[in-house]
Amino acid sequence: MPLTTYWLEHAWLDTNVEPGVVLDVTEDGRIGAVRTGTETPPPGAVVLRGLTIPGLANAHSHAFHRALRGTVQVGSGTFWTWREVMYTVAQRLTPDSYFALARAVYAEMALAGITSVGEFHYLHHAPGGSPYADPNAMGEALIAAATEAGIRITLLDTAYLSSGFGAAPERHQLRFTDGTAEAWAERVSALKERDGVRVGAAIHSVRAVPADQLSTVARWAAERNAPLHVHLSEQTAENDACLAAHGMTPTQLLAEHGVLGPRTTGVHNTHMTDADIALVGSSATGTCMCPTTERDLADGIGPAVALQRAGSPLSLGSDSHAVVDLLEEARAMELNERLRTRTRGHWTAAALLRAATADGHAALGWADAGTLETGALADFTTIALDTVRTAGPVPRLAAETAVFAASAADVRHTVVGGRHVVRDGVHHSVPDAGQALQDSIAALRG
């Protein structure tokens, strides 16, 4: 017997919107059966009205950046001036305050239909760089925060060893560094996977990990078949510095040291040569686009179409959390490309939803999530079709409505492992997520 039966008024089943879909959820939190053509809810079924899609995967998050929202939108500046403001917030966090902030941020994600997050985690140590009594105290705080907020987490523990090519870490970066990649590997190896938790690896960037230590991080991930993520060609200044230091682009440098491959995801991949695109695509390295952050920081529009055509799977992330809205990230990827090319229709709504669901989960090591299929993890979210943003279109166009008109505010239900995390727009364990954000961010103000 199923643990729970859900009746979905409309469901997106990979390519089509189907009315009247029943999902049976088993005791281990998986989809036991999918039945279509069920016009009325079966007795005892939980009714989800609207469009139900697989849970969204936020493939790139820096949870503490949420404290910057609003503050870094004042005035002008560049990525590099934004970074200085970010450092001041990073200096104030403790394991306890990071837990409080991340719990609220992950609750905001659940309210936005996100069921899995890839946390690109590099804030490891105490101010000044000394390890905590538990060297993974900050990572454990993030894991606990995601668990309490009811979403899955892939902790992408990040190697961050240098302030630039061959340069020692700056004062604000001492909390980030383990000194060497070998020391990073020893620390991160103590982190344990558990229910709802994956442990992956990240290279912050080619400027932050010396070239002769890149392979150490890549080897650690390969030995564990773990996801490996890296900020890649986000800034032209980084490309120029890499060329000056190594005579090659960041993508070429990563390829030379065995970093690229199907378990690897390059985040941003904004400023790439044709040869870079070919390297990423031919190695099946993924690309995580973060359009709301990339436009907020004036980074540029990445070659997502060319990368996907070359063989790079696309995923999406909210990165700095200028907004937390994966529907907006999906929409922005298409609309950015329209502005760049002055043509429409680079991706269908279905393709954009796949980037936000199945392909995002695969990039985080959750290959068994992101679809409404028998055997998949029972992670899904329901978008209302009767709000001021979504009312009007016929139900068969609900996927187009969700991608091109809906927002996180239209999410009504989020289910993870078959259990309601968000019901009727209210988070089960963090019922006032706005106040939790307010309080945790206020506590960080100097």
Side-chain angles (χ1 to χ4, degrees):
M1 293 290 291
L3 177 67
T4 309
T5 295
Y6 287 90
W7 181 81
L8 317 179
E9 183 181 29
H10 303 284
W12 179 66
L13 301 182
D14 190 30
T15 58
N16 299 313
V17 173
E18 295 284 346
V21 175
V22 172
L23 297 183
D24 289 331
V25 177
T26 61
E27 290 188 0
D28 62 350
R30 293 183 179 272
I31 298 173
V34 180
R35 304 194 299 276
T36 59
T38 307
E39 294 184 3
T40 58
V46 179
V47 175
L48 302 183
R49 296 203 177 273
L51 173 68
T52 297
I53 64 175
L56 301 169
N58 188 352
H60 189 67
S61 162
H62 302 290
F64 77 91
H65 290 190
R66 175 62 178 82
L68 303 174
R69 188 183 295 179
T71 303
V72 291
Q73 277 73 40
V74 176
S76 57
T78 66
F79 167 86
W80 306 102
T81 56
W82 169 89
R83 191 175 70 155
E84 294 303 312
V85 180
M86 178 269 288
Y87 285 155
T88 64
V89 172
Q91 287 300 103
R92 297 178 182 139
L93 285 160
T94 67
D96 287 344
S97 62
Y98 204 5
F99 165 79
L101 174 60
R103 176 176 177 266
V105 173
Y106 296 152
E108 181 182 5
M109 291 185 192
L111 287 162
I114 292 164
T115 56
S116 296
V117 61
E119 184 61 38
F120 199 102
H121 167 55
Y122 55 84
L123 186 53
H124 302 304
H125 305 300
S130 297
Y132 289 102
D134 175 0
N136 287 305
M138 296 295 263
E140 291 289 354
L142 290 165
I143 289 170
T147 300
E148 287 212 9
I151 67 172
R152 304 182 194 277
I153 185 170
T154 298
L155 189 74
L156 297 162
D157 196 288
T158 305
Y160 194 133
L161 309 173
S162 170
S163 65
F165 297 91
E170 297 174 358
R171 177 175 60 90
H172 289 310
Q173 298 164 334
L174 293 175
R175 299 194 71 175
F176 308 162
T177 182
D178 292 293
T180 66
E182 289 78 10
W184 166 85
E186 182 179 358
R187 178 184 54 75
V188 73
S189 293
L191 285 164
K192 303 303 181 186
E193 294 191 343
R194 61 210 81 163
D195 187 34
V197 178
R198 297 274 190 273
V199 177
I203 293 164
H204 180 274
S205 55
V206 293
R207 71 177 185 273
V209 176
D212 62 358
Q213 298 185 62
L214 292 169
S215 61
T216 300
V217 183
R219 185 167 55 252
W220 185 94
E223 289 170 353
R224 292 158 179 80
N225 197 31
L228 174 60
H229 288 216
V230 55
H231 289 134
L232 181 54
S233 287
E234 182 178 5
Q235 295 289 322
T236 55
E238 181 179 275
N239 287 359
D240 294 342
C242 189
L243 284 165
H246 297 289
M248 62 184 71
T249 67
T251 302
Q252 292 168 328
L253 187 67
L254 294 176
E256 186 171 272
H257 290 274
V259 175
L260 302 186
R263 285 179 299 95
T264 300
T265 297
V267 181
H268 304 302
N269 292 3
T270 307
H271 302 286
M272 290 194 150
T273 66
D274 290 345
D276 291 339
I277 292 168
L279 271 174
V280 169
S282 63
S283 61
T285 300
T287 295
C288 179
M289 303 297 292
C290 305
T292 65
T293 293
E294 289 150 6
R295 69 191 184 198
D296 183 55
L297 297 178
D299 286 344
I301 299 171
V305 171
L307 283 160
Q308 188 174 50
R309 286 175 178 167
S312 179
L314 298 180
S315 57
L316 296 164
S318 63
D319 193 359
S320 69
H321 312 313
V323 298
V324 173
D325 190 338
L326 262 288
L327 298 173
E328 172 61 22
E329 303 294 347
R331 173 163 57 245
M333 189 163 68
E334 166 67 23
L335 298 186
N336 283 353
E337 194 65 20
R338 292 182 187 186
L339 285 174
R340 191 180 70 81
T341 63
R342 292 183 290 175
T343 60
R344 303 176 74 216
H346 302 277
W347 292 277
T348 63
L352 293 168
L353 282 176
R354 278 195 296 276
T357 57
D359 289 345
H361 280 97
L364 297 178
W366 299 99
D368 51 353
T371 61
L372 299 181
E373 298 177 351
T374 301
L377 291 169
D379 299 356
F380 43 89
T381 188
T382 304
I383 300 162
L385 297 177
D386 58 357
T387 73
V388 292
R389 287 166 294 277
T390 60
V394 296
R396 66 180 176 82
L397 297 178
E400 285 76 9
T401 303
V403 170
F404 291 104
S407 76
D410 299 309
V411 170
R412 290 293 174 267
H413 305 281
T414 301
V415 173
V416 180
R419 292 173 172 83
H420 256 99
V421 175
V422 172
R423 188 189 296 267
D424 295 319
V426 178
H427 195 285
H428 177 261
S429 60
V430 191
D432 193 344
Q435 190 63 52
L437 285 162
Q438 181 71 25
D439 292 346
S440 60
I441 293 170
L444 300 176
R445 296 195 180 105

